[in-house]
């Protein structure tokens, strides 16, 4: 099989496929500099290339339609596995959510020990009109500190460029620790903070044996996140704990970190 080459791979996860009109508005503006892989985690729908082309995206495209709902973490791991199996070549990778907008995939000159590129994120928290404005013209968004806030820097997997080689290492360790992490996430009683769990794990794995490994920070905005759907529950679970939310989320991340370190100590490798 011939390798497919690109500068950046974008892994886009979706459940409510209607949200793709938001994310694809940004990806369509990025032209043909990327390879897009969509994982559809909604088993009652099927996404086709024709649908994605109609939404304006014309670049390299791969679609994975899941037969079962497997959740965000496993959706992301499935995308990484797909990249490995299909030998899709690109030095950098970025995850995006279906209701967020990736603004650019600019890559600065970085040293070999820089495993990720941290940037800033705008969060739209209140007004649907701002989502429509972001779809049409992201530069029109006014940061007011209340309805539209600037997260500077943004620490998380969504919107963060990561070396693809480092992402493969993360995949191997997560597969090794899969049962332990599943036990943690299923026992929380609220939606697991998967994005932060993966980001924390990435930092631990990148620094394992490479003491000077670090992300690099670019003081630019490259991601717009929508957070106007202020519901208490999703998929039958609390979105956040009702009491001591931050401490419980931090504790969940810490437990995941322990599972990652244990997997690294055990070798952190699988057949994949």
């Amino acid at each position: 099989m011939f390798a497919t080459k690109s500068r950046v791979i974008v892994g886009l996860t979706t459940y409510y496929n209607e949200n793709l009109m938001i994310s694809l508005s940004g990806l369509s503006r990025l032209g043909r500099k990327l390879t897009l892989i969509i994982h559809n985690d909604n088993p009652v729908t099927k996404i086709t290339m024709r649908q994605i082309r109609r939404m304006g995206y014309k670049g390299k495209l791969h679609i994975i339609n899941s037969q079962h709902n497997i959740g965000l973490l496993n959706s992301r791991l499935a995308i990484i596995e797909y990249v490995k199996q299909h030998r899709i070549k690109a030095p950098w990778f970025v995850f995006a959510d279906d209701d967020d907008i990736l603004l650019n995939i600019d890559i600065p000159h970085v040293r070999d020990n820089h495993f990720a590129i941290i940037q800033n994120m705008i969060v739209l928290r209140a007004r649907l009109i701002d989502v429509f404005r972001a779809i049409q013209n992201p530069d029109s968004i006014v940061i007011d500190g209340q309805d539209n806030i600037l997260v500077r820097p943004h620490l998380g997997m969504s919107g963060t460029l990561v070396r693809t080689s480092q992402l493969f290492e993360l995949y191997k360790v997560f597969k090794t620790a899969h049962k332990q992490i599943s036990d943690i996430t299923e026992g929380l009683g609220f939606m697991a903070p998967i994005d932060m769990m993966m980001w924390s794990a990435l930092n631990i794995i990148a620094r394992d044996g490479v003491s000077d490994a670090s992300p690099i920070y670019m003081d630019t905005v490259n991601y717009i996140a929508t957070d106007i759907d202020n519901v208490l529950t999703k998929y039958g679970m609390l979105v956040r704990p009702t009491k001591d939310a931050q401490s419980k989320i931090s504790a969940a991340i810490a437990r995941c970190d322990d599972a990652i370190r244990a997997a690294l100590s055990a070798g952190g490798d699988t057949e994949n």
Side-chain angles (χ1 to χ4, degrees):
M1 183 182 295
F2 292 104
T4 301
K5 293 184 178 180
S6 184
R7 194 180 183 197
V8 175
I9 299 167
V10 177
L12 181 63
T13 53
T14 181
Y15 183 85
Y16 294 113
N17 303 160
E18 298 86 350
N19 285 334
L20 289 171
M21 68 176 66
I22 301 175
S23 52
L24 289 176
S25 69
L27 295 174
S28 298
R29 283 188 285 265
L30 298 180
R32 300 176 182 271
K33 297 182 292 184
L34 60 90
T35 295
L36 174 61
I37 303 176
I38 300 175
H39 186 277
N40 174 26
D41 197 32
N42 188 341
V44 301
T45 67
K46 183 178 180 180
I47 297 174
T48 66
M49 287 197 175
R50 187 175 183 182
Q51 288 174 305
I52 303 306
R53 299 304 187 201
R54 284 180 172 176
M55 293 184 191
Y57 178 76
K58 305 300 183 185
K60 298 185 181 83
L61 175 63
H62 301 259
I63 298 171
I64 308 166
N65 285 297
S66 180
Q67 300 299 311
H68 307 280
N69 174 232
I70 59 176
L72 178 60
L73 174 59
N74 289 320
S75 289
R76 288 182 171 181
L77 294 178
I79 290 174
I80 301 171
E81 183 176 33
Y82 185 94
V83 171
K84 289 169 61 69
Q85 290 180 347
H86 291 78
R87 299 176 59 201
I88 301 173
K89 304 295 184 182
W92 293 91
F93 188 106
V94 59
F95 283 114
D97 297 332
D98 61 358
D99 57 350
D100 298 339
I101 302 174
L102 184 65
L103 301 178
N104 70 71
I105 49 175
D106 298 336
I107 300 171
H109 293 290
V110 298
R111 298 199 304 267
D112 290 343
N113 65 312
H114 291 141
F115 61 85
I117 301 170
I118 298 171
Q119 299 181 66
N120 304 329
M121 174 177 72
I122 295 173
V123 182
L124 310 180
R125 303 200 305 179
R127 298 183 298 240
L128 183 60
I129 187 62
D130 286 324
V131 178
F132 291 139
R133 287 170 177 163
I135 290 172
Q136 294 296 322
N137 179 16
D139 293 334
S140 68
I141 298 300
V142 177
I143 299 170
D144 56 21
Q146 181 174 343
D147 295 327
N148 304 325
I149 64 170
L150 177 66
V151 179
R152 178 175 182 254
H154 163 56
L155 301 178
M157 291 296 289
S158 297
T160 299
L161 286 153
V162 177
R163 289 191 187 274
T164 306
S165 58
Q166 195 62 65
L167 208 64
F168 290 159
E169 294 301 314
L170 180 135
Y171 171 85
K172 290 192 293 185
V173 177
F174 262 93
K175 295 297 283 187
T176 299
H178 188 268
K179 184 181 185 305
Q180 293 87 341
I181 292 173
S182 293
D183 289 344
I184 293 168
T185 58
E186 291 171 7
L188 290 177
F190 59 91
M191 291 184 65
I194 296 299
D195 196 72
M196 286 305 302
M197 283 180 169
M198 292 185 73
W199 172 248
S200 184
L202 176 69
N203 280 264
I204 293 169
I205 295 164
R207 294 185 173 101
D208 183 56
V210 184
S211 59
D212 66 342
S214 68
I216 190 171
Y217 173 58
M218 288 176 61
D219 192 8
T220 56
V221 175
N222 80 314
Y223 201 70
I224 297 178
T226 62
D227 189 27
I228 65 173
D229 190 11
N230 297 316
V231 296
L232 296 178
T233 61
K234 281 186 178 180
Y235 316 118
M237 297 186 67
L238 287 171
V239 174
R240 292 171 62 87
T242 54
K243 294 182 179 180
D244 301 321
Q246 192 53 56
S247 63
K248 290 180 179 178
I249 290 171
S250 296
I253 295 170
R255 291 177 64 194
C256 179
D257 289 348
D258 289 342
I260 293 300
R261 292 189 180 97
L264 284 170
S265 298
D269 206 350
T270 69
E271 294 181 358
N272 294 318

